[in-house]
Amino acid sequence: MGFFDKLKKAFSFEPEKEENEAEKVADKAETETSGANVADSAEETSKSELIEKKAQPEPDQAGEETHETDGENDSEQSASKDVLEEKTEEERYDKGLAKSRKGFGAKINALLANFRHVDEDFFDDLEETLIEADVGYETAMNISDELRDEVKLRNAKKKSDVSDAIIERLVNLYEESGKGEDNALHFAKQGPTVFLFVGVNGVGKTTTIGKLAHRYKEEGKKVLLAAGDTFRAGAIEQLAEWGRRVGVDVVKKPEQSDPAAVVYDAVVKAKQENYDILLVDTAGRLQNKVNLMKELDKIKRVITREIPDAPHEVLLALDATTGQNALTQAKQFKEVTDVTGIVLTKLDGTARGGIVLAIRNELKLPVKLVGLGEQMDDLRDFDPQEFVIGLFKGLVAKDR
């Protein structure tokens, strides 16, 4: 079952009013019937419970049977916990993508507000709408071209049919582009794992490092931070404050120091003192790409010389609220260094969640982490399916 089929099965528009009224009548009748039977059955229930209680063996007589029952209860509790955790993750994406979902839905509704029939003007408006929704220029063109034939093939005339066709193509294109995509973070088989963070100033890079440090410390790992952004005023102290807040060590030098020297000290410390995770902050002066490229290359050489298979991830932090500017930054950083994945920050604070589709379809870079809120644990591993459901739920017609 593809993403769109799961989307239709899981979520839909509200049922028709008549159906709601019918359900209310049925519920009322059931309640009245149940109420009438409560008084009659109460005494019988009490007697049954008393008999069962007397029939139960004493604790020292229960033996193996009691042990088996406890095991079953443990399994049930474990399963319930798994369901609860899964639901919580679904709720995080639901809440984190509320603004994007509302904004995307509003744009589709605005497109269909004056809809009369499918013609070239409609497809021109569709392209403009998708571009405004930050799904990317190439994606918008591809969707428009593919829908020309598909809408005619379906003989789509109702607004809901046209809307479904648009969203289905977006979801399918997103799913097809992600085949073989690796959204997981990779760790060292032995010795310290090194994550190198890149990105322009102000995108939430240092905050991401702090939250990730908190996650791994809570998992019982020994975490070290490296303040490699030695040029931006306050950057070193900002990371040091995160270290104090989370309770992890930070390697730092005075401002204007050589970033590679800071990283070298951090890598040596991580090896000698058996740290599990080293998270490295770097400068984000994209306006001077030549110097930035030389700086990042030097840092990577220092890391690789000490730990041959490191860095294990080069993560590019992008601010989701900047929409297409984030896509431009990603393209430029991809030219500067070997990015292995994207951290999309502030996704909960924007209506521009469509940028994830553009990143996947145009850059072929996996999103690995997303910021779904301001709390410490709101930095989440990216789940492609939860993202699709969170972005498009309620925007497709009911699957009867």
Side-chain angles (χ1 to χ4, degrees):
M1 184 184 293
F3 280 6
F4 185 74
D5 293 326
K6 292 178 181 177
L7 182 66
K8 290 201 71 173
K9 185 176 181 181
F11 298 105
S12 64
F13 286 123
E14 290 295 319
E16 295 297 329
K17 185 177 180 180
E18 290 77 10
E19 292 179 348
N20 286 334
E21 293 299 327
E23 289 176 2
K24 289 179 182 177
V25 171
D27 290 341
K28 183 178 180 181
E30 183 178 349
T31 301
E32 290 175 351
T33 302
S34 299
N37 292 331
V38 166
D40 295 337
S41 61
E43 186 176 351
E44 293 178 8
T45 301
S46 299
K47 291 179 179 178
S48 298
E49 289 177 348
L50 183 61
I51 293 171
E52 289 176 2
K53 186 174 182 181
K54 289 182 177 179
Q56 288 176 353
E58 295 297 326
D60 58 347
Q61 296 174 340
E64 187 175 345
E65 182 178 345
T66 302
H67 177 74
E68 290 176 356
T69 302
D70 290 342
E72 291 174 2
N73 289 337
D74 291 342
S75 299
E76 290 176 2
Q77 291 175 1
S78 177
S80 298
K81 184 179 179 182
D82 291 340
V83 171
L84 181 61
E85 290 176 351
E86 181 180 350
K87 183 179 180 181
T88 300
E89 194 68 11
E90 179 182 313
E91 288 175 347
R92 288 180 188 276
Y93 272 86
D94 184 18
K95 183 178 179 181
L97 289 165
K99 287 187 178 180
S100 290
R101 181 169 61 251
K102 184 177 179 181
F104 196 93
K107 286 181 171 60
I108 295 296
N109 289 335
L111 170 68
L112 298 175
N114 298 317
F115 172 77
R116 294 295 179 270
H117 54 274
V118 176
D119 55 18
E120 284 305 309
D121 288 339
F122 170 80
F123 287 111
D124 289 341
D125 291 341
L126 173 62
E127 290 172 4
E128 184 176 339
T129 298
L130 293 176
I131 291 171
E132 289 177 355
D134 291 291
V135 302
Y137 178 81
E138 292 179 20
T139 303
M141 297 302 106
N142 289 340
I143 294 293
S144 181
D145 289 342
E146 292 181 12
L147 281 178
R148 276 180 166 82
D149 294 329
E150 190 164 338
V151 171
K152 294 175 183 177
L153 184 64
R154 293 187 184 192
N155 194 26
K157 295 179 180 179
K158 293 193 301 183
K159 291 182 181 181
S160 60
D161 293 338
V162 177
S163 177
D164 276 8
I166 294 170
I167 294 174
E168 182 172 4
R169 280 314 306 149
L170 280 170
V171 172
N172 288 345
L173 182 61
Y174 171 79
E175 186 175 10
E176 290 163 8
S177 299
K179 287 181 178 177
E181 183 177 85
D182 185 1
N183 299 106
L185 294 169
H186 295 275
F187 298 84
K189 294 180 180 179
Q190 60 180 12
T193 292
V194 182
F195 288 172
L196 181 64
F197 289 82
V198 300
V200 300
N201 298 333
V203 297
K205 182 175 43 170
T206 306
T207 300
T208 295
I209 293 172
K211 288 183 176 181
L212 206 56
H214 168 75
R215 176 200 289 191
Y216 293 136
K217 184 164 187 289
E218 288 294 300
E219 292 177 359
K221 294 181 172 62
K222 191 176 181 182
V223 183
L224 181 65
L225 309 182
D229 185 357
T230 60
F231 295 101
R232 179 171 65 88
I236 297 172
E237 184 53 35
Q238 184 184 3
L239 193 69
E241 177 57 33
W242 268 107
R244 287 190 289 270
R245 181 179 176 186
V246 175
V248 301
D249 296 328
V250 181
V251 174
K252 59 182 181 177
K253 288 182 179 292
E255 288 186 8
Q256 307 302 315
S257 298
D258 180 4
V262 177
V263 175
Y264 173 78
D265 289 350
V267 173
V268 171
K269 180 179 178 68
K271 289 175 62 180
Q272 292 179 347
E273 300 181 24
N274 298 317
Y275 282 85
D276 299 304
I277 306 284
L278 171 59
L279 307 177
V280 181
D281 194 10
T282 63
R285 300 166 298 160
L286 193 55
Q287 66 273 19
N288 193 335
K289 288 199 293 184
V290 175
N291 287 349
L292 180 61
M293 180 162 52
K294 290 179 179 178
E295 183 179 296
L296 292 175
D297 282 345
K298 185 177 180 182
I299 288 173
K300 288 177 69 176
R301 286 199 306 273
V302 165
I303 295 172
T304 305
R305 187 168 62 238
E306 297 300 318
I307 306 176
D309 60 340
H312 303 91
E313 295 281 359
V314 179
L315 299 172
L316 170 61
L318 296 174
D319 182 345
T321 65
T322 61
Q324 290 300 304
N325 285 339
L327 189 64
T328 301
Q329 289 174 20
K331 290 177 179 178
Q332 291 175 320
F333 265 100
K334 194 177 179 183
E335 295 172 0
V336 170
T337 189
D338 296 325
V339 177
T340 61
I342 301 291
V343 180
L344 199 60
T345 68
K346 310 175 190 178
L347 191 58
D348 61 304
T350 181
R352 294 175 163 180
I355 193 64
V356 176
L357 282 74
I359 290 171
R360 172 177 276 193
N361 295 334
E362 297 185 21
L363 295 181
K364 308 302 180 185
L365 282 174
V367 176
K368 299 206 171 189
L369 294 166
V370 288
L372 297 175
E374 297 181 0
Q375 300 301 314
M376 192 76 80
D377 61 348
D378 283 333
L379 179 69
R380 313 302 298 177
D381 293 330
F382 180 67
D383 186 319
Q385 183 170 308
E386 292 291 357
F387 170 79
V388 164
I389 292 175
L391 183 60
F392 294 119
K393 67 172 282 190
L395 299 181
V396 293
K398 187 174 183 180
D399 189 18
R400 296 182 184 273

